[in-house]
Amino acid sequence: MGTTFLSVTIAFVAAAVIPAVVTAAVRRGDRKRKHQRVLAGAAPDALFTMRSRRWQRVLLRTVGILVLVVGGVLLLGAASTTEDPDALPMGIAGAVGVLLGVAFVLLAGAAARTRIDALPDRLVVRKGFRAEREVHHTAIASIRPWTGPYGGIQARDSAGTVLFDSVAIAIGYRDLEAWLAERAPWAWVAYAGPAAAAPVWTAPGAPGQRGPAQPWPMPDGTGPGTPTR
């Protein structure tokens, strides 16, 4: 009983301390790269923000805590029975459990930090613990389906470098699709087909109202429309 209580306590302390330490380290790194950062938070003139859902973060953190508890129990059990022939396998399983629990807790923190702010002519992308960066709409050369249990999309530049990706269940995902169809039609039509070239989406500053997409120029400057600054 005492071993279980101690393991549970250690797991909850680790679940609270690990994200705090990682967050502090990330913020320290962000301050060192201040000249590289785009925004500290959501853009004040953002059309919308795409982010993960709360239940995803809660689920990851909960699983991490449970795995930490199990791993801690196994580790303490192995430490208290060192002469038992099963102590070594138990200790290895406990160490793996602790590492997996820490990984899940870190994933929950990364999911909470991940977001995409859509501005009229660019996206501000922040994934996990990486620094924020800007992706101009003209840099998007191709859009590909993102394989996974929930589906989604992945945008790449002309060199094939991944600019950003998103799962289909994220908050704001449909708005992101409409933004891409309007701001990067050359990539969107190749991905979704001509029938999906001009969807409707929620107009900025008018919740619930929807309007047709407007034409934007091609990356080479040709095509109708002029970006709104």
Side-chain angles (χ1 to χ4, degrees), residues 84-210:
D84 193 314
D86 295 331
L88 180 59
M90 185 185 300
I92 294 174
V96 171
V98 169
L99 292 176
L100 285 176
V102 171
F104 275 106
V105 172
L106 291 177
L107 282 175
R113 184 178 169 84
T114 299
R115 65 189 299 146
I116 297 179
D117 291 322
L119 281 72
D121 62 345
R122 65 193 184 281
L123 299 172
V124 179
V125 179
R126 182 174 67 183
K127 184 173 183 179
F129 300 109
R130 300 177 184 176
E132 293 173 348
R133 67 185 188 280
E134 284 188 340
V135 176
H136 198 270
H137 74 105
T138 57
I140 302 171
S142 64
I143 300 173
R144 307 178 185 182
W146 194 25
T147 57
Y150 302 108
I153 56 176
Q154 184 181 80
R156 296 175 180 251
D157 61 15
S158 57
T161 303
V162 176
L163 299 173
F164 62 87
D165 46 45
S166 173
V167 294
I169 62 172
I171 297 174
Y173 175 79
R174 297 304 175 191
D175 286 329
L176 177 64
E177 284 189 328
W179 188 95
L180 290 169
E182 179 179 331
R183 269 64 174 183
W186 53 89
W188 181 257
V189 171
Y191 161 73
V200 293
W201 70 312
T202 304
Q209 298 182 11
R210 305 179 73 83

Side-chain angles (χ1 to χ4, degrees), residues 7-22 61 64-65 68-69 98 101-102 105-106:
S7 300
V8 172
T9 302
I10 293 174
F12 276 96
V13 171
V17 170
I18 291 171
V21 172
V22 172
R61 186 180 294 273
I65 292 174
L68 272 171
V69 169
V98 169
V102 171
V105 172
L106 291 177

Side-chain angles (χ1 to χ4, degrees), residues 16-114:
V17 170
I18 291 171
V21 172
V22 172
T23 300
V26 169
R27 288 178 178 175
R28 182 179 179 183
D30 288 344
R31 286 194 295 269
K32 290 183 178 179
R33 299 189 302 267
K34 189 175 181 180
H35 64 285
Q36 300 176 357
R37 290 178 57 79
V38 179
L39 295 168
D45 55 343
L47 305 179
F48 62 88
T49 296
M50 197 203 69
R51 61 187 184 278
S52 62
R53 297 185 180 275
R54 184 182 297 274
W55 65 264
Q56 294 176 278
R57 305 190 294 271
V58 172
L59 179 61
L60 287 172
R61 186 180 294 273
T62 301
V63 171
I65 292 174
L66 292 177
V67 174
L68 272 171
V69 169
V70 175
V73 170
L74 292 176
L75 272 179
L76 291 176
S80 61
T81 57
T82 54
E83 297 180 356
D84 193 314
D86 295 331
L88 180 59
M90 185 185 300
I92 294 174
V96 171
V98 169
L99 292 176
L100 285 176
V102 171
F104 275 106
V105 172
L106 291 177
L107 282 175
R113 184 178 169 84
T114 299

